[in-house]
Amino acid sequence: MSEDARLPRAYSSTVKLRPGATLITVNTTPDGALCYLHGYRSSIYVEHTPGQMVIPKGFEKKSLICELEGYKTNRGAVLPGLPPEDGAKIIIQRVFIPLGVTDPTSGPAGALVPDGFVGTYRD
């Protein structure tokens, strides 16, 4: 098994980062979402989650939007706080709420976070 195959996706050694940029891995439940930075759908995106995205310096306050057919669009800050120092990497976890579910705590998937945001994990 190669070194990259053993590493979680946020820790890939094949992604090159510019100075000040941040590598994030976007995980969603369920998988398969299109996620992108607001205003940069065709240039800063993950086509199919889980996947990696490089956030350039100065884009830390942009919204991360995730879309998946049959689910409510999920949006929130791409980096909820200051960017990490020294190239630390971040894993973002989001949970989709099915369309038609008005009370996320009573949906078929059990209790869900109302806005779909689960957590941000730093290296």
Side-chain angles (χ1 to χ4, degrees):
M1 182 181 282
S2 74
E3 285 301 309
D4 263 347
R6 288 189 203 128
L7 298 172
R9 290 187 58 96
Y11 305 98
S12 171
S13 60
T14 60
V15 176
K16 304 295 182 209
L17 294 177
R18 293 182 183 150
T22 302
L23 175 66
I24 66 169
T25 294
V26 182
N27 291 321
T28 61
T29 303
D31 291 346
L34 166 67
C35 296
Y36 57 92
L37 285 189
H38 182 256
Y40 297 88
R41 184 180 183 133
S42 63
S43 58
I44 304 176
Y45 64 92
V46 172
E47 188 172 356
H48 186 279
T49 57
Q52 296 175 318
M53 181 186 304
V54 175
I55 308 300
K57 184 176 182 176
F59 286 64
E60 299 86 5
K61 301 226 182 241
K62 294 282 185 188
S63 289
L64 176 66
I65 301 169
C66 293
E67 300 172 343
L68 186 62
E69 188 174 337
Y71 295 87
K72 295 179 182 179
T73 297
N74 182 306
R75 68 177 65 225
V78 67
L79 298 179
L82 296 174
E85 296 180 19
D86 300 328
K89 294 143 186 92
I90 293 180
I91 300 171
I92 294 177
Q93 180 67 46
R94 302 283 176 92
V95 174
F96 281 100
I97 299 169
L99 290 174
V101 173
T102 55
D103 179 5
T105 61
S106 66
L112 299 174
V113 178
D115 63 1
F117 180 76
V118 175
T120 299
Y121 309 95
R122 294 176 187 249
D123 175 357

